[in-house]
């Protein structure tokens, strides 16, 4: 798969389709900013791929009132 983006922001990266897609992005050379609720799973994902390929941020994207303050961090 040819992927044209150098960096992507992925939500839901601690389980299911979100983590599967994030894995695929990393495999195809993108830097992934992985967002999810479970800190320990984000840490595992980051440890697997390293800081040169992944950054993480713990956040529950269903917290609509908190999105703006999270994005400003």
């Amino acid at each position: 798969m040819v992927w044209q983006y150098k960096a992507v922001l992925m939500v839901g990266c601690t389980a299911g389709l979100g983590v599967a897609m994030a894995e695929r992005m990393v495999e195809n050379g993108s830097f992934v900013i992985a967002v999810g609720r479970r800190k320990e799973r984000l840490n595992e994902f980051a440890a697997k791929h390293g800081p040169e390929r992944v950054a993480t941020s713990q956040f529950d994207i269903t917290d609509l009132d908190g999105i703006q303050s999270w994005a400003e961090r």
Side-chain angles (χ1 to χ4, degrees):
M1 175 173 119
V2 177
W3 187 250
Q4 63 183 351
Y5 301 103
K6 301 219 185 272
V8 293
L9 174 72
M10 299 285 303
V11 297
C13 290
T14 57
L17 186 57
V19 73
M21 290 189 66
E23 291 277 353
R24 188 68 180 259
M25 299 289 175
V26 170
E27 290 169 5
N28 284 290
S30 293
F31 180 86
V32 174
I33 303 165
V35 180
R37 293 180 294 146
R38 299 177 185 104
K39 187 65 174 172
E40 66 282 349
R41 290 190 184 180
L42 289 171
N43 290 341
E44 290 171 11
F45 185 76
K48 178 179 179 180
H49 297 290
E52 65 282 347
R53 306 298 306 158
V54 173
T56 64
S57 179
Q58 184 180 15
F59 183 71
D60 183 352
I61 200 70
T62 64
D63 176 11
L64 299 179
D65 293 331
I67 290 176
Q68 184 170 348
S69 63
W70 169 78
E72 291 171 351
R73 288 192 269 155

